């Protein structure tokens, strides 16, 4: 194999994201210079996106085992036991950089890719979620990005026929140059029919099936591991192009192939395409692999070996079949109209060998590619503590402040957005974005069980204190599952940060992981899958640190669930959990006073668990059906959301009639409502559990009214006015 001059190769290595030290390691491992195909293979496998070289040291802090965990991190998705011989398979991943460059295809292929991670393990996808972060609404690109991303998510998920049931959408100027699109998929499988990616032995056929390979997405994994600059739009060719109808055929063909018993190992082609799928399958199985690239189905003429190995064309799978089962595979692929070919075989050499038109174009050991990628213990600095807030006076105009708050971009209704998603296809959705529940709920078909799903993160908390913010992200996900009556099982994470080579950013990563890991341990909430997305910054300006948590819980009896749209006139409204009135990093501070200061609210994990266990027990015992967790905007916003969803007013009174008590964002709290004659049961249980629970209002009328302990009215706002403010912002912003 001839090599190009060293200077050219070194320059190419730098363009591909390999630093001089990493390139030197490649020379040492190979004992020679690589050719361009080999250099391309090393560059994608050693990219941050594929190797986790900056974060792996710290990811090991996460608890990954538990009584329900069947498979933790390391496979395509996490697997948990949900009883009765059934398993839930789920994962969250990012498609941030592609979605900023080409929002429709970036978001669409993010949905397609995360579904493949789930069904490649034998699960039928049953639910999708998305966590979206956009820039300031006034930024000239924001509206176009929102329209493209939402259209891409809906266009792909709706066509494939998987409901989009939950998620979150926020706006902040910190995302002006780098939006975040995190996609999550949840699937169901038989617990004894899980498929893995490790090649079991040598001498087995390697089969490619799905769509043909084109030139789209080449070096997508490398692009996802680099910062943006003013020329980022030039990277548009690195964005993949999706075909949801091909994905639907691929789902059915893959599941049928698995049911036939022909599969020995299987892997989807995601980031780094054919390179990562072949290297990971052989590497995990400790075998070698040889591929004939001329046999790869191609949709463009004259494709080189380099292009085929680094293409990230969508809707493609790689399977290792059992001996003699190629004909079974071909029959299934023909039935579903998919391109397919046997393109190679596993070997006992421990090497990746690629041939093209009779020539060997790559021959490298697998170990350096798969498990010998550079791992860094990058230097990091602690985020400076935010000084405590001085006293904040009550607003001079309570009515104006409240209406402005409920209409702010983060709290405003996202109806315009989620109405574009099919939320009820498959006919098992019990709660979704329109249902006024703190988590999406999907029935486990044919049983009385259901799965609850949510995604959560409060980036402004993480920015102010990564450790407490990391704890809070996990705790809020646990709380949202609890608020619908589900037993929290496990999480997947999507860690979105800036450039880890900057010590202050690496400090955010380290301390956020520390906080998340502590919360996972305290709440028995293991991490079973995840994704790290770094270098999310443009021209040196990093995004707010955003460690998104996707979580799954189990409702043993789906008829015993809660939401916050079931309030009835005459109900007593009870606040569960202690209120101290923490205003630091609150939405009130940011949206009304234009300040982003103070420390975030501390997270008492012992109290979080104690309070949540009480509320969940009340729901599962059929005592309470109206529950809402307190988060952004605190008590008052939770009450407004409950009243609007139920179309019943609430009168709040007592010691909670001041700014800190109404709009402070203390953690671990819930609002519950039930008929007054049943309230004693709640108080008795709370007292026995050592949980604060007090009546703070009554339901009735058509307004939100707040009076102090003496009965003096502080303010009253009609629900129609609140609804107009809350639902008017998004359509006005989008111009509809």
């Amino acid at each position: 194999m001839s090599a190009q001059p060293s200077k050219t190769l070194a320059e190419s290595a730098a363009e591909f994201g390999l630093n001089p030290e990493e390139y030197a390691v490649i020379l040492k491992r190979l004992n020679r210079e690589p050719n361009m195909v080999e250099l391309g293979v090393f560059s994608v496998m050693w990219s941050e996106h594929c190797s986790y070289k900056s974060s792996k040291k710290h990811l090991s802090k996460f608890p990954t085992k538990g009584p329900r965990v069947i498979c933790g991190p390391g496979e395509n998705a996490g697997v948990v036991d949900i009883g009765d011989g059934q398993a839930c398979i789920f994962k969250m991943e990012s498609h941030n950089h592609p979605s900023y460059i080409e929002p429709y295809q970036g978001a669409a292929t993010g949905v397609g890719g995360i579904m493949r991670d789930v069904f490649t393990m034998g699960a039928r996808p049953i639910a999708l979620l998305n966590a979206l972060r956009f820039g300031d609404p006034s930024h000239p690109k924001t509206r176009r990005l929102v329209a493209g991303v939402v259209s891409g998510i809906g266009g792909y998920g709706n066509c494939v026929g998987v409901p989009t049931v939950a998620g979150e959408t926020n706006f902040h100027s910190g995302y002006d140059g780098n939006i975040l699109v995190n996609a999550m998929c949840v699937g169901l499988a038989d617990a004894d029919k899980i498929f893995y990616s490790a090649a079991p032995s040598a001498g087995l056929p390697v089969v490619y099936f799905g769509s043909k390979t084109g030139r789209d997405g080449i070096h997508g994994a490398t692009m996802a591991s680099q910062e943006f600059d003013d020329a980022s739009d030039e990277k548009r060719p690195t964005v993949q192009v999706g075909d949801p109808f091909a994905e639907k055929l691929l789902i059915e063909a893959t599941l049928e192939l698995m049911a036939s018993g022909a599969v020995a190992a299987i892997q989807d082609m995601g980031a780094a395409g054919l390179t990562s799928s072949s290297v990971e399958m052989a590497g995990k199985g400790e075998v070698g692999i040889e591929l004939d690239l001329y046999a790869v189905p191609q949709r463009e003429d004259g494709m080189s070996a380099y292009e085929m190995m680094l293409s990230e064309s969508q809707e493609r799978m790689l399977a290792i079949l059992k001996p003699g089962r190629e004909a079974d595979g071909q029959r299934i692929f023909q039935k579903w109209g998919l391109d397919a070919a046997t393109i190679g075989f596993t070997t006992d050499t421990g090497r990746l060998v690629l041939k093209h038109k009779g020539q060997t174009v790559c021959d490298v050991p697998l170990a350096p590619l798969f498990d010998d990628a550079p791992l860094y213990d990058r230097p990091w600095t602690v985020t400076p503590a935010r000084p405590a807030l001085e006293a904040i006076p009550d607003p001079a105009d309570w009515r104006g402040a409240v209406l402005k708050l409920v209409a702010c971009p983060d709290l405003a209704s996202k109806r315009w957005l989620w109405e574009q998603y099919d939320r009820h296809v498959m006919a098992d959705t019990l709660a979704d974005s329109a249902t006024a529940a703190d988590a999406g709920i999907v029935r486990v078909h044919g049983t009385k069980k259901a799965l609850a799903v949510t995604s959560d993160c409060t980036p402004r908390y993480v920015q102010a204190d990564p450790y407490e913010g990391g704890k809070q992200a996990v705790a809020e996900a646990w709380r949202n599952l609890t608020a619908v009556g589900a037993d929290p099982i496990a999480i997947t994470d999507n860690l979105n940060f800036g450039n880890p080579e900057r010590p202050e950013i690496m400090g955010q990563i380290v301390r956020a992981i520390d906080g998340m890991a502590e919360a996972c341990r305290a709440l028995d909430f293991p991490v079973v899958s995840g994704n790290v997305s770094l270098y999310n910054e443009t021209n040196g300006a990093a995004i707010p640190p955003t460690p998104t948590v996707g979580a799954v819980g189990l409702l043993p009896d789906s008829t015993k669930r809660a939401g916050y749209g079931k309030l009835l006139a005459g109900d007593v409204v009870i606040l569960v959990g202690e209120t101290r009135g923490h205003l630091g990093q609150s939405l009130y501070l940011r949206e009304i006073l234009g300040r982003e200061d103070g420390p975030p609210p501390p997270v008492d994990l012992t109290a979080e668990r104690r309070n949540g266990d009480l509320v969940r027990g009340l729901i599962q015992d059929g005592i309470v059906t109206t529950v809402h967790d307190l988060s952004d905007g605190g008590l008052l916003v939770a009450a407004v959301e409950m009243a609007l969803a139920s179309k019943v007013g609430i009168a709040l009174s007592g010691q909670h009639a001041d700014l800190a008590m109404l709009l402070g964002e203390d953690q671990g709290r819930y609002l519950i409502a039930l008929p007054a004659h049943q309230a004693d049961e709640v108080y008795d249980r709370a007292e026995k559990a050592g949980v604060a629970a007090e009546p703070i209002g009554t339901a009735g009328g058509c307004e939100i009214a707040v009076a102090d302990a003496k009965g003096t009215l502080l303010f009253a706002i009609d629900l129609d006015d609140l609804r107009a403010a809350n639902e008017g912002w998004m359509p006005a912003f989008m111009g509809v």
Side-chain angles (χ1 to χ4, degrees), residues 5 16 118 124 229 329 419 428 466 551 674 731:
F16 296 168
V118 167
R124 179 171 292 280
D229 55 29
E419 280 187 341
D428 281 318
L674 73 170

Side-chain angles (χ1 to χ4, degrees), residues 327-353:
D328 294 329
Q330 286 297 331
R331 174 182 53 79
I332 293 169
F333 304 142
Q334 288 175 7
K335 170 185 174 181
W336 292 102
L338 299 177
D339 288 289
T342 300
I343 64 169
F345 51 91
T346 56
T347 68
D348 60 3
T349 65
R351 301 182 73 82
L352 172 68
V353 177

